[in-house]
């Protein structure tokens, strides 16, 4: 017990009959002068506001987003259509649906968010969960059940913290279960139009436009529930130029320590744009990065701005210069291939559409087709980034070497065909022919029956 008390002198006993041993107090020299010094030191520390982080790519994209409808890249007519739907078709406490379609990067999501905010709507966006979600009873919920809960229950309750009078649901990513079981999605739409109280907007991109519209939103479903549709076009040259002028000012002001956007770099990305504002802004950020002095020469080795159409023209119509030992190309194939590494797929699609314009013989066409086939196979392998350089080098060098005597004359570069448009044309043609066969067979049967009746009357 004595040892316990000796070793546990720092404990206070729980009973009052044992005296407590106080801990020795540390000596403190308290003086007015020392106190004033300590107070003076404590006052020297100020709270420094944390600087907004603009190092991440998402923060730069967020800073470049338009703040009002006049800064959107879509046309004025499309802005009026979307605003008209929000003002006229949407009624408080009643469900309404809109399909907003268009190519990738044309500003669909940004447009609906900005216009909804200007019309007094708050956005509630559906994001497909990557992890498993459990309910209150610890049962694993399927994505379809989670989406149904979002679509039905989320429309019946509003947040007391929101300053907006109405709410708008936004769906860009559909659960994959509905592509295999479309009937369950149709029943979910029926339940939504019976119980829902908030409007909803479905975003359909070009990559999934055909599959989504034909599978989840066929014509009979749209007519049955009164679902509206607005299609946006690719961003025009004028709209892209105005948007980049504003974005360049924003990037230089918010991230000037790491970026320097010049007019030359803006013109460079404008010459290669295909109506995708997201891709253009991404390319502008990367080519505007400030690099150390020893690497600046490597990054600025290109002496000219090569557009996509000019690059295609240099390949399908190569120019050769005679030298003492033979010949060489007027434009270096390595420079052409290095210039289009960031958009290799688009570049190959343009080559496939235009390589026959300047070829003379069938053998040259056959060799170029073989090269493009190998390039497609190599470009589909995404696990090795070095294959992109190999693919472009093979394609550029091979086609320039094969085309020894290109056909002279005016050969404008054509844009690659849209596979979705071609598919719709084929389906429409097949449907027309099928109806024609039905009509012809019925008319033929009517004619045969009338001929039999006439023969019977004559007899």
């Amino acid at each position: 017990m004595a040892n316990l008390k000796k070793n546990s002198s720092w404990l206070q006993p729980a009973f009052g009959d044992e005296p407590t041993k106080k801990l020795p107090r540390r000596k403190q020299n308290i003086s007015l002068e020392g106190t004033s010094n300590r107070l003076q030191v404590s006052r020297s520390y100020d709270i420094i506001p944390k600087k907004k982080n603009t190092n991440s790519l998402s923060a730069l994209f967020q800073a470049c987003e338009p703040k009002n409808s006049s800064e959107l890249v879509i046309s004025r007519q499309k802005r009026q259509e979307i605003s008209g739907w929000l003002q006229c078709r949407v009624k408080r406490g009643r469900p309404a649906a809109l399909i907003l379609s268009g190519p990738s990067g044309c500003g669909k999501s940004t447009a609906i968010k900005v216009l909804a905010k200007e019309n007094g709507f708050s956005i509630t966006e559906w994001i497909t969960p990557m992890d498993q979600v459990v309910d209150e009873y610890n049962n694993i919920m399927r994505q379809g059940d989670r989406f149904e809960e979002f679509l039905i229950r989320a429309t019946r309750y509003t947040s007391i913290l929101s300053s907006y009078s109405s709410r708008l649901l936004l769906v860009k990513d559909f659960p994959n279960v509905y592509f295999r079981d479309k009937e369950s999605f149709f029943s979910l739409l029926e339940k939504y139009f019976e119980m829902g109280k908030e409007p909803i907007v479905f975003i359909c991109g070009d990559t999934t436009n055909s599959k989504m519209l034909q599978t989840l939103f066929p014509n009979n479903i749209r007519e049955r529930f009164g679902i509206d549709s607005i299609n946006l076009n690719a961003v025009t040259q004028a709209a892209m130029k105005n948007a980049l002028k504003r974005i360049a000012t924003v990037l230089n002001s918010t991230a000037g320590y790491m970026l320097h956007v010049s007019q030359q770099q803006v013109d460079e990305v404008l010459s290669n744009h295909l109506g995708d504002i997201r891709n253009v802004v991404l390319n502008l950020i990367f080519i505007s990065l400030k690099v150390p002095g020893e690497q600046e020469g490597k990054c600025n080795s290109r002496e000219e701005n090569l557009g996509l159409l000019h690059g295609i023209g240099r390949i399908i119509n190569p120019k050769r210069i005679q030298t003492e030992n033979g010949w060489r190309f007027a434009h270096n194939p390595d420079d052409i291939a290095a210039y289009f590494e960031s958009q290799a797929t688009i570049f190959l699609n343009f080559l496939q559409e235009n390589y026959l314009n300047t070829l003379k013989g069938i053998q040259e066409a056959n060799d170029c087709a073989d090269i493009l086939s190998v390039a497609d196979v190599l470009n589909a392998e995404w696990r090795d980034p070095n294959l992109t350089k190999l693919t472009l080098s093979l394609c550029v060098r091979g086609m320039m070497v094969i085309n020894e005597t290109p056909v002279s004359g005016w050969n404008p570069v054509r844009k690659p065909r849209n596979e979705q448009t071609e598919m719709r044309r084929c389906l429409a043609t097949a449907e027309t022919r099928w109806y024609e066969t039905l009509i012809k067979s019925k008319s033929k049967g009517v004619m045969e029956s009338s001929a039999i009746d006439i023969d019977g009357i004559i007899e």
Side-chain angles (χ1 to χ4, degrees), residues 129 154 216 322 330 386 404 459:
L216 302 182
Q322 295 296 329
N386 295 322
E404 296 182 1
E459 292 177 356

Side-chain angles (χ1 to χ4, degrees), residues 267-429:
D267 295 338
E268 181 178 346
V269 296
L270 273 175
S271 63
N272 294 324
H273 90 90
L274 295 175
D276 190 343
I277 183 65
R278 187 187 303 110
N279 186 29
V280 167
V281 174
L282 185 63
N283 291 335
L284 182 63
I285 291 174
F286 278 118
I287 68 174
S288 303
L289 288 172
K290 294 181 179 179
V291 295
E294 62 272 8
Q295 298 182 1
E296 187 174 359
K298 298 180 181 179
C299 296
N300 298 329
S301 59
R302 296 177 295 186
E303 299 179 355
E304 60 177 345
N305 296 331
L306 182 60
L308 181 62
L309 303 184
H310 290 88
I312 299 297
R314 292 180 180 181
I315 296 175
I316 64 176
N317 191 13
K319 296 180 180 180
R320 306 190 182 199
I321 300 176
Q322 295 296 329
T323 60
E324 297 178 357
N325 300 327
W327 58 270
R328 66 178 179 85
F329 289 114
H331 306 288
N332 192 352
D334 291 333
D335 294 341
I336 300 175
Y339 205 95
F340 297 101
E341 281 187 27
S342 61
Q343 43 186 350
T345 303
I346 298 175
F347 189 70
L348 291 177
N349 291 337
F350 268 87
L351 282 179
Q352 290 177 355
E353 184 68 24
N354 298 276
Y355 77 99
L356 293 176
N357 293 348
T358 58
L359 295 177
K360 284 187 176 181
I362 188 64
Q363 185 61 38
E364 290 83 356
N366 185 30
D367 295 339
C368 289
D370 292 339
I371 291 175
L372 289 172
S373 299
V374 175
D376 280 339
V377 174
L378 294 178
N379 191 46
E381 182 56 53
W382 53 269
R383 289 174 292 184
D384 190 355
N386 295 322
L387 284 180
T388 303
K389 301 179 182 179
L390 177 62
T391 302
L392 291 176
S393 179
L394 168 68
C395 203
V396 171
R397 286 182 177 274
M399 299 184 70
M400 292 177 70
V401 170
I402 290 174
N403 198 357
E404 296 182 1
T405 56
V407 177
S408 60
W410 173 250
N411 291 307
V413 178
R414 298 191 303 268
K415 184 180 179 180
R417 298 178 182 177
N418 191 346
E419 296 181 358
Q420 305 297 337
T421 304
E422 294 296 328
M423 185 183 300
R424 295 192 197 99
R425 290 178 180 175
C426 294
L427 292 174
T429 304

Side-chain angles (χ1 to χ4, degrees), residues 73 102-108 205 233-235 240 274-279:
V73 294
S104 177
C106 68
K108 301 182 293 295
N233 301 322
V235 184
M240 188 76 72
L274 295 175
D276 190 343
I277 183 65
R278 187 187 303 110
N279 186 29

